[in-house]
Amino acid sequence: MDMASLISSLLVLFLIFQNSCYCFRSPLSVFKRYEESTRSLSNDCLGTTRPVMSPGSSDYTLDIRMPGVTPTESDTYLCKSYRLPVDDEAYVVDYRPHANMDTAHHMLLFGCNVPSSTDDYWDCSAGTCNDKSSIMYAWAKNAPPTKLPEGVGFQVGGKSGSRYFVLQVHYGDVKAFQDKHKDCTGVTVRITPEKQPLIAGIYLSMSLNTVVPPGQEVVNSDIACLYNRPTIHPFAYRVHTHQLGQVVSGFRVRHGKWTLIGRQSPQLPQAFYPVEHPLEISPGDIIATRCLFTGKGRMSATYIGGTAKDEMCNLYIMYYMDAAHATSYMTCVQTGNPKLFENIPEIANVPIPVSPDMMMMMMMGHGHHHTEAEAETNTALQQPKREEEEVLNQDVHLEEDTDWPGVNLKVGQVSGLALDPKNNLVIFHRGDHVWDENSFDRNFVYQQRGIGPIQESTILVVDPNTSKVLKSTGQNLFFLPHGLTIDRDGNYWVTDVALHQVFKVGAEKETPLLVLGRAFQPGSDRKHFCQPTDVAVDPITGNFFVADGYCNSRIMQFSPNGMFIMQWGEETSSNLPRPGQFRIPHSLTMISDQGQLCVADRENGRIQCFHAKTGEFVKQIKHQEFGREVFAVSYAPGGVLYAVNGKPYYGDSTPVQGFMLNFSNGDILDTFIPARKNFEMPHDITAGDDGTVYVGDAHANAVWKFSPSKAEHRSVKKAGIEVEEITETEIFETHMRSRPKTNESVGQQTQEKPSVVQESSAGVSFVLIITLLIIPVVVLIAIAIFIRWRKVRMYGGDIGHKSESSSGGILGKLRGKGSGGLNLGTFFATHKGYSRKGFDRLSTEGSDQEKDDDDDGSDSEEEYSALPIPPVSSS
């Protein structure tokens, strides 16, 4: 008996010693140990969907797993929701993954209140959640479990916590399912009802616009944001890049001093590693991140994106904060100031070596995918088409297409323009109805209901080349049309200021698919609008935003089925409007590749941009050239913003015109006016992928088409650097490369030019002789090719012909096209075997204010000062 007790004691001591040594092991040893332990779990479908109570405790565990799925396509994203077993406030205090990288590429766990589907599981292309969501857990590359500190938990349930978990699993290579087995990848969470004094959250720092030039040995991607929230305490971090990432480092910068938060190779297991030295991040600090890349081995430039050939630069910081000020999710996407990063510690520039055997283990059975295309990154990183970015790198001027007959179309007041998925122009006009001083009373109630709705078609689909009307709809539906936008499915989203309503109209439907607001009833609650002006639709989630409007000063966000999500904005309170204050939010445009929504704040004469998922203010664009009003704004892929202003007030000299703006820095790239007729009140503007711009005028009752023309020998500013285009050769090279030359290459070219000039005269005769000798050879080769071609046509091509896809075709497939702007979701969906799955947005709350009536007046009959709106009962 004594001997048995001694053996038992020694065994217990050995296990304790082994567990205590676990934290001292290298990432490689942790990876090997955990990989061995997970292989038996990857297909373990023995978990239960019911909570399992812990003995002697009020804690319980919940298995959140896929219900035995068998993906049939590579890069499939599947989602599964789990309802929290109780409604009371609770806290997640532990996560244990059940996954293997041979089967699952990556796994994310979201918390929200409205999952995108009620099915047992669903394709994540429908989204993860329809409301505000936050990331609670992430796993990839056989990462070991994440341990939360004592007293720290992610809040769920209750009044402010999530009531649903949504599991998202990205299945990479479908070859893993050749045996047709059923997969139950997932995670077990431990939940306690005991109130935790500290609430956990995740801060995501990520790059939106990094470019890794081919062959360049060292490339830095820098991100930095000023932190202005209550103090947080980082306790773990996780890094993420694709193949080219060598090290990711995160720092806190306080009073010029850099303190390391975490540093790790993204080629090691992508776990949450503990912060080595405790620190806090307080208001006024800067959170700075650097990703170190190499372009060695690449033959073309690498951009931010979600495929294995693209790159990402992400740093996740898991933190805790006092429960009274808890925020579960924060992001930073701002490119770091180069002057700030001049003082970054040298350790951030030193790659972390990864042994070859480790890389082999990481890639085993997973060769064509190296890291995850995280859903949360793709909601804010919808990658633009690189060809379209040429417009920022060349001197392009917009001129009216005077051959386009559409300017003479017989239409009423043109209030809205948009391009459909087929690139046809769609016009929204008022027919024989006019907005004048008799249209509304002091309470914004429409006074001309007796004349009935507009009987003619108010929505015209026009051929962009011939202006021929291809289709017309919208009879007997509207009284005073205003805004128009078109979603990726071709549905029309329109507003009517007389009805105070928002409509979703199917392209092939006569009756609306969705109607929001109460007809002829102005209001300021969640179910009423007051003269709403415009709609913008998120191409990823399908959520839509409403600018409300002339007598409210707010932006409202709704789910695809019309469920209210959030709102933000307030009336302007002074002559110096603050961020988030509006005086008629008149026009909206989605900046899909930046995850932003921009608003034409009309009477404040500026453009305001906000994070679409949170409503947080990002920046404003305001120029003296705008004058006092900005009527409309539109975004084109590649970073170009277009806008139109209003007529100058008495005594002002600012002309009414269109603007072409660099979205990144707000600089004016060009201005434009029509050659035929004149702008009177340009009311809306829309831009196509090819740089074509249309402007609709509500007083001239006309639509103009403007086309880009390349101006010669003009200087343009690229990211603040003066660049002069000198020769047609340089312009051609820029076009072919779809990217500006690096400083290094420009320097080399500058050094080489003098020698070419000096030698040119001496070598003319030599070149002439060589040319004369080569011409007969070229002719003979051409004849041989022609004879071979004739044989192929005559005998059916049985001559060992091998087809090769051109590099242009490959680039086209890789980059793809989207309607109204390219984003990663629709970008992936254009590829065979890859669909847009799991890319979803987050949102927060805002405030609701009304429009003031102390405006300076308007330059048109359409716009009148708004008096305070009377209270309307909520129905």
PDB file of all heavy atoms in Angstrom, residues 69-72 174-183:
ATOM      1  N   VAL A  69     -20.137  18.170 -41.312  1.00  0.00           N
ATOM      2  CA  VAL A  69     -20.276  18.716 -42.668  1.00  0.00           C
ATOM      3  C   VAL A  69     -19.216  18.115 -43.577  1.00  0.00           C
ATOM      4  O   VAL A  69     -18.160  17.682 -43.126  1.00  0.00           O
ATOM      5  CB  VAL A  69     -20.149  20.256 -42.651  1.00  0.00           C
ATOM      6  CG1 VAL A  69     -21.259  20.861 -41.809  1.00  0.00           C
ATOM      7  CG2 VAL A  69     -18.783  20.697 -42.135  1.00  0.00           C
ATOM      8  N   THR A  70     -19.515  18.107 -44.858  1.00  0.00           N
ATOM      9  CA  THR A  70     -18.572  17.625 -45.865  1.00  0.00           C
ATOM     10  C   THR A  70     -18.520  18.640 -46.997  1.00  0.00           C
ATOM     11  O   THR A  70     -19.344  18.602 -47.913  1.00  0.00           O
ATOM     12  CB  THR A  70     -18.990  16.255 -46.415  1.00  0.00           C
ATOM     13  OG1 THR A  70     -19.159  15.334 -45.332  1.00  0.00           O
ATOM     14  CG2 THR A  70     -17.943  15.705 -47.377  1.00  0.00           C
ATOM     15  N   PRO A  71     -17.591  19.583 -46.961  1.00  0.00           N
ATOM     16  CA  PRO A  71     -17.495  20.580 -48.036  1.00  0.00           C
ATOM     17  C   PRO A  71     -17.207  19.915 -49.375  1.00  0.00           C
ATOM     18  O   PRO A  71     -16.502  18.911 -49.454  1.00  0.00           O
ATOM     19  CB  PRO A  71     -16.325  21.467 -47.598  1.00  0.00           C
ATOM     20  CG  PRO A  71     -16.191  21.224 -46.127  1.00  0.00           C
ATOM     21  CD  PRO A  71     -16.598  19.815 -45.897  1.00  0.00           C
ATOM     22  N   THR A  72     -17.758  20.482 -50.432  1.00  0.00           N
ATOM     23  CA  THR A  72     -17.565  19.943 -51.777  1.00  0.00           C
ATOM     24  C   THR A  72     -16.683  20.834 -52.641  1.00  0.00           C
ATOM     25  O   THR A  72     -16.350  20.464 -53.764  1.00  0.00           O
ATOM     26  CB  THR A  72     -18.924  19.763 -52.468  1.00  0.00           C
ATOM     27  OG1 THR A  72     -19.604  21.030 -52.518  1.00  0.00           O
ATOM     28  CG2 THR A  72     -19.782  18.751 -51.712  1.00  0.00           C
ATOM     29  N   VAL A 174     -10.256  21.039 -50.531  1.00  0.00           N
ATOM     30  CA  VAL A 174     -11.317  20.033 -50.490  1.00  0.00           C
ATOM     31  C   VAL A 174     -10.762  18.614 -50.609  1.00  0.00           C
ATOM     32  O   VAL A 174     -11.472  17.634 -50.328  1.00  0.00           O
ATOM     33  CB  VAL A 174     -12.352  20.320 -51.596  1.00  0.00           C
ATOM     34  CG1 VAL A 174     -11.810  19.963 -52.959  1.00  0.00           C
ATOM     35  CG2 VAL A 174     -13.666  19.604 -51.326  1.00  0.00           C
ATOM     36  N   LYS A 175      -9.494  18.461 -51.002  1.00  0.00           N
ATOM     37  CA  LYS A 175      -8.907  17.129 -51.082  1.00  0.00           C
ATOM     38  C   LYS A 175      -8.888  16.440 -49.725  1.00  0.00           C
ATOM     39  O   LYS A 175      -8.810  15.210 -49.655  1.00  0.00           O
ATOM     40  CB  LYS A 175      -7.481  17.224 -51.635  1.00  0.00           C
ATOM     41  CG  LYS A 175      -7.406  17.668 -53.089  1.00  0.00           C
ATOM     42  CD  LYS A 175      -5.962  17.776 -53.561  1.00  0.00           C
ATOM     43  CE  LYS A 175      -5.893  18.243 -55.001  1.00  0.00           C
ATOM     44  NZ  LYS A 175      -4.490  18.399 -55.467  1.00  0.00           N
ATOM     45  N   ALA A 176      -8.959  17.218 -48.669  1.00  0.00           N
ATOM     46  CA  ALA A 176      -8.994  16.627 -47.332  1.00  0.00           C
ATOM     47  C   ALA A 176     -10.272  15.829 -47.113  1.00  0.00           C
ATOM     48  O   ALA A 176     -10.359  15.049 -46.158  1.00  0.00           O
ATOM     49  CB  ALA A 176      -8.868  17.718 -46.267  1.00  0.00           C
ATOM     50  N   PHE A 177     -11.266  16.022 -47.982  1.00  0.00           N
ATOM     51  CA  PHE A 177     -12.546  15.331 -47.816  1.00  0.00           C
ATOM     52  C   PHE A 177     -12.793  14.320 -48.936  1.00  0.00           C
ATOM     53  O   PHE A 177     -13.935  14.006 -49.262  1.00  0.00           O
ATOM     54  CB  PHE A 177     -13.690  16.351 -47.776  1.00  0.00           C
ATOM     55  CG  PHE A 177     -13.689  17.205 -46.544  1.00  0.00           C
ATOM     56  CD1 PHE A 177     -12.964  18.383 -46.490  1.00  0.00           C
ATOM     57  CD2 PHE A 177     -14.410  16.811 -45.427  1.00  0.00           C
ATOM     58  CE1 PHE A 177     -12.956  19.158 -45.345  1.00  0.00           C
ATOM     59  CE2 PHE A 177     -14.404  17.586 -44.282  1.00  0.00           C
ATOM     60  CZ  PHE A 177     -13.675  18.765 -44.237  1.00  0.00           C
ATOM     61  N   GLN A 178     -11.705  13.777 -49.502  1.00  0.00           N
ATOM     62  CA  GLN A 178     -11.871  12.779 -50.549  1.00  0.00           C
ATOM     63  C   GLN A 178     -12.540  11.516 -50.028  1.00  0.00           C
ATOM     64  O   GLN A 178     -13.209  10.798 -50.775  1.00  0.00           O
ATOM     65  CB  GLN A 178     -10.501  12.434 -51.149  1.00  0.00           C
ATOM     66  CG  GLN A 178      -9.929  13.538 -52.017  1.00  0.00           C
ATOM     67  CD  GLN A 178      -8.569  13.189 -52.580  1.00  0.00           C
ATOM     68  OE1 GLN A 178      -7.879  12.303 -52.065  1.00  0.00           O
ATOM     69  NE2 GLN A 178      -8.171  13.881 -53.651  1.00  0.00           N
ATOM     70  N   ASP A 179     -12.372  11.257 -48.728  1.00  0.00           N
ATOM     71  CA  ASP A 179     -13.015  10.066 -48.146  1.00  0.00           C
ATOM     72  C   ASP A 179     -14.445  10.339 -47.710  1.00  0.00           C
ATOM     73  O   ASP A 179     -15.093   9.472 -47.099  1.00  0.00           O
ATOM     74  CB  ASP A 179     -12.204   9.556 -46.953  1.00  0.00           C
ATOM     75  CG  ASP A 179     -12.070  10.607 -45.860  1.00  0.00           C
ATOM     76  OD1 ASP A 179     -12.514  11.765 -46.075  1.00  0.00           O
ATOM     77  OD2 ASP A 179     -11.526  10.282 -44.788  1.00  0.00           O
ATOM     78  N   LYS A 180     -14.969  11.555 -47.976  1.00  0.00           N
ATOM     79  CA  LYS A 180     -16.356  11.932 -47.681  1.00  0.00           C
ATOM     80  C   LYS A 180     -16.676  11.897 -46.187  1.00  0.00           C
ATOM     81  O   LYS A 180     -17.833  11.733 -45.801  1.00  0.00           O
ATOM     82  CB  LYS A 180     -17.349  11.028 -48.430  1.00  0.00           C
ATOM     83  CG  LYS A 180     -17.127  10.956 -49.937  1.00  0.00           C
ATOM     84  CD  LYS A 180     -17.307  12.312 -50.591  1.00  0.00           C
ATOM     85  CE  LYS A 180     -17.134  12.219 -52.103  1.00  0.00           C
ATOM     86  NZ  LYS A 180     -17.256  13.529 -52.775  1.00  0.00           N
ATOM     87  N   HIS A 181     -15.672  12.059 -45.335  1.00  0.00           N
ATOM     88  CA  HIS A 181     -15.956  12.052 -43.899  1.00  0.00           C
ATOM     89  C   HIS A 181     -16.678  13.333 -43.503  1.00  0.00           C
ATOM     90  O   HIS A 181     -16.657  14.332 -44.220  1.00  0.00           O
ATOM     91  CB  HIS A 181     -14.668  11.884 -43.101  1.00  0.00           C
ATOM     92  CG  HIS A 181     -13.814  13.114 -43.077  1.00  0.00           C
ATOM     93  ND1 HIS A 181     -12.816  13.338 -44.006  1.00  0.00           N
ATOM     94  CD2 HIS A 181     -13.799  14.179 -42.238  1.00  0.00           C
ATOM     95  CE1 HIS A 181     -12.217  14.493 -43.742  1.00  0.00           C
ATOM     96  NE2 HIS A 181     -12.802  15.019 -42.672  1.00  0.00           N
ATOM     97  N   LYS A 182     -17.302  13.297 -42.350  1.00  0.00           N
ATOM     98  CA  LYS A 182     -18.037  14.452 -41.825  1.00  0.00           C
ATOM     99  C   LYS A 182     -17.179  15.140 -40.776  1.00  0.00           C
ATOM    100  O   LYS A 182     -16.621  14.497 -39.884  1.00  0.00           O
ATOM    101  CB  LYS A 182     -19.379  14.011 -41.252  1.00  0.00           C
ATOM    102  CG  LYS A 182     -20.302  13.410 -42.308  1.00  0.00           C
ATOM    103  CD  LYS A 182     -21.669  13.110 -41.731  1.00  0.00           C
ATOM    104  CE  LYS A 182     -22.592  12.518 -42.798  1.00  0.00           C
ATOM    105  NZ  LYS A 182     -22.793  13.456 -43.919  1.00  0.00           N
ATOM    106  N   ASP A 183     -17.110  16.448 -40.877  1.00  0.00           N
ATOM    107  CA  ASP A 183     -16.218  17.224 -40.010  1.00  0.00           C
ATOM    108  C   ASP A 183     -16.996  17.957 -38.931  1.00  0.00           C
ATOM    109  O   ASP A 183     -18.083  18.496 -39.170  1.00  0.00           O
ATOM    110  CB  ASP A 183     -15.434  18.238 -40.839  1.00  0.00           C
ATOM    111  CG  ASP A 183     -14.477  19.032 -39.984  1.00  0.00           C
ATOM    112  OD1 ASP A 183     -13.487  18.458 -39.491  1.00  0.00           O
ATOM    113  OD2 ASP A 183     -14.736  20.229 -39.763  1.00  0.00           O
TER     114      ASP A 183
END
